[in-house]
């Protein structure tokens, strides 16, 4: 059985090798190697500049009361991921990394990821609620009729309740220590 990370690594090596061979055939081996080094160092430099800019903007927004910590953390996280992708050798990973570092494309990716994360969390909450309810024992507090052996429904009017409650005394319910709770006293 092949592990998923092994499949991803093999796919990564194949794609990056094919991209490097394609660029080498197009520009030549020397230019392709030089371009790979330029994207590596340039991408890391661009990531550092962007992270500093994001941090400065966050500090200014915090002072002015317009702070958006979620957006700031998203930008920093995506920029860091872009820096890692730029540092991994290869043209495809460097291009994806640069797209995560550049603000307009980073904003689009952040929006898509936020939407997917929100949907995931909502679905997770629903699944958790459904799972929790399926394991709970169901309590029954009696029935208001409608059971399989129920006769015709009994309707109690307001007048009947008022008449009954006007003639009720505490003795009608028995004493708690007599064992006759809820029963009529035999003396009556």
């Amino acid at each position: 059985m092949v592990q998923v990370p092994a499949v991803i690594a093999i796919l990564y090596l194949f794609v990056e090798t094919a991209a490097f061979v394609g660029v080498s055939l197009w520009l030549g081996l020397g230019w392709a190697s030089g371009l790979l080094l330029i994207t590596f160092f340039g991408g890391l430099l661009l990531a550092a500049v962007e992270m500093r800019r994001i941090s400065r903007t966050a500090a200014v927004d915090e002072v002015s009361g317009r702070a958006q910590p979620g957006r700031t953390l998203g930008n920093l996280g995506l920029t860091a991921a872009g820096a890692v992708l730029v540092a991994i050798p290869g043209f495809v990973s460097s291009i994806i990394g640069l797209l995560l570092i550049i603000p307009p494309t980073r904003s689009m990716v952040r929006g898509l990821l936020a939407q997917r994360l929100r949907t995931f969390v909502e679905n997770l909450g629903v699944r958790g609620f459904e799972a929790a309810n399926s394991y709970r024992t169901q309590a029954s507090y009696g029935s208001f009729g409608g059971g399989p052996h129920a006769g015709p429904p009994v309707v109690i009017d307001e007048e009947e309740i008022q008449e009954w409650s006007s003639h009720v005394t505490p003795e009608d319910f028995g004493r708690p220590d007599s064992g006759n709770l809820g029963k009529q006293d035999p003396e009556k």
Side-chain angles (χ1 to χ4, degrees):
M1 182 173 145
V2 178
Q3 297 291 328
V4 174
V7 171
I8 292 173
I10 291 170
L11 184 64
Y12 162 76
L13 288 173
F14 177 75
V15 168
E16 290 293 0
T17 303
F20 185 77
V21 168
V23 172
S24 295
L25 290 175
W26 180 43
L27 297 175
L29 183 61
W31 285 106
S33 299
L35 187 59
L36 199 57
L37 284 173
I38 289 171
T39 57
F40 173 77
F41 289 112
L44 290 179
L45 180 66
L46 180 61
V49 168
E50 274 300 306
M51 289 181 115
R52 183 172 289 132
R53 186 189 66 78
I54 292 167
S55 298
R56 258 186 279 151
T57 303
V60 168
D61 287 347
E62 181 69 32
V63 169
S64 66
R66 296 178 291 141
Q68 295 178 333
R71 177 172 287 169
T72 301
L73 289 175
N75 283 335
L76 287 171
L78 289 173
T79 304
V84 169
L85 287 172
V86 165
I88 295 174
F91 285 113
V92 176
S93 62
S94 294
I95 290 171
I96 294 171
L98 287 173
L99 288 175
L100 291 177
I101 294 171
I102 297 170
T105 53
R106 183 180 62 232
S107 176
M108 289 183 352
V109 170
R110 188 187 64 240
L112 290 172
L113 287 176
Q115 182 180 5
R116 289 192 61 173
L117 179 65
R118 187 177 310 115
T119 303
F120 173 76
V121 169
E122 288 172 354
N123 290 339
L124 182 67
V126 169
R127 286 193 310 262
F129 178 75
E130 288 172 350
N133 276 338
S134 68
Y135 291 110
R136 287 188 182 151
T137 58
Q138 300 297 323
S140 175
Y141 298 106
S143 172
F144 293 103
H149 304 291
V154 177
V155 178
I156 301 175
D157 292 338
E158 182 181 358
E159 292 104 20
E160 290 179 273
I161 294 174
Q162 287 176 350
E163 181 182 331
W164 178 81
S165 62
S166 66
H167 302 298
V168 166
T169 62
E171 290 79 28
D172 290 338
F173 297 101
R175 291 187 325 216
D177 59 343
S178 70
N180 291 336
L181 189 60
K183 299 177 187 168
Q184 293 288 333
D185 284 336
E187 300 150 5
K188 279 188 154 186

